[in-house]
Amino acid sequence: MRNLLSLALACLLAVSNFAVAEAKDDRPRKVRLPVHSRTTAYAVQTVSVKTGCFSPRLEGILAHIAAKTGRRPLVTSGHRPRSHRSGSMHRFCQAADIRVSGISDSAIIAAAKTAPGIGGIGRYCNGIIHVDTGSRRQWTYCGKSKRHFLSAKRRSGKRA
C-alpha cells in the first residue's frame, strides 16, 4: 500500500511539473549573451584581449581558418593601440595573433593563405600565427634582433 501511494504521489508531482513548464513556455524569454560569446568564428584567450573592433574582413579570415581547420582559432592578441611598432596592423585593429589547438602551424598557414582578404601571415617560433588585412606578405620570426628573421618575403603586390 505504501509503494502504491508513493507511486501515485510521484506521478502527481511529475504531471504538475509538466503543466507548470508548459504554462511558462508561452511567455517570450529574453536571453542575454555575454559579449565574448557573440561570435562563433573565434575564441578569445583572456578577457583582456581586445577584439570588439575587428573588421568584417578580419573576422572573415578567422572564420575561414575555422572552417578549413575544423576548429575555432584562439585569439591571443588583437587590438593593441599602444603597440611599439608604428606600422603594426594591431594598432589599427586589423590583425590577430592566433593559435588553433591540435592543428599544426603549417596547416594553419595553409588555411590562412586561401582566406579571402588575407594580407600578412606571420609565424612565430612560440607557435603563434599572425594574420592581418594589410599588404600581402609572409614571414617567420624568432627573437628580438633582425638576424632572427628566418624568412621574410613579399608575395605578389596585389591587395585582396
Side-chain angles (χ1 to χ4, degrees):
M1 182 71 169
R2 184 185 272 177
N3 287 341
L4 185 59
L5 187 58
S6 295
L7 183 61
L9 184 58
C11 288
L12 182 63
L13 285 173
V15 169
S16 68
N17 283 339
F18 285 127
V20 169
E22 199 171 296
K24 287 183 180 178
D25 284 345
D26 292 340
R27 288 184 273 161
R29 295 181 190 150
K30 289 186 178 180
V31 177
R32 288 188 172 263
L33 295 176
V35 173
H36 63 276
S37 296
R38 288 190 181 160
T39 182
T40 58
Y42 58 89
V44 180
Q45 184 175 18
T46 65
V47 294
S48 63
V49 175
K50 298 175 183 166
T51 60
C53 58
F54 279 0
S55 68
R57 186 173 167 186
L58 182 57
E59 287 184 342
I61 291 167
L62 296 172
H64 180 84
I65 293 169
K68 288 288 186 182
T69 61
R71 295 182 182 223
R72 291 190 317 166
L74 178 68
V75 178
T76 61
S77 180
H79 183 222
R80 296 192 309 246
R82 293 183 184 93
S83 176
H84 297 292
R85 291 193 52 230
S86 61
S88 172
M89 296 301 286
H90 286 283
R91 290 183 83 175
F92 310 108
C93 205
Q94 294 299 317
D97 293 338
I98 62 171
R99 291 181 187 264
V100 183
S101 175
I103 307 294
S104 70
D105 294 354
S106 59
I108 299 167
I109 291 170
K113 283 181 181 179
T114 63
I118 189 69
I121 302 171
R123 180 186 163 276
Y124 298 100
C125 289
N126 62 359
I128 291 177
I129 306 297
H130 170 98
V131 293
D132 68 47
T133 61
S135 60
R136 292 182 67 90
R137 64 211 185 285
Q138 189 172 345
W139 69 93
T140 300
Y141 178 76
C142 295
K144 291 186 178 183
S145 69
K146 290 187 180 186
R147 71 173 191 249
H148 290 279
F149 272 99
L150 297 179
S151 68
K153 60 183 175 185
R154 252 197 201 296
R155 291 183 281 163
S156 66
K158 295 184 240 176
R159 290 184 81 114

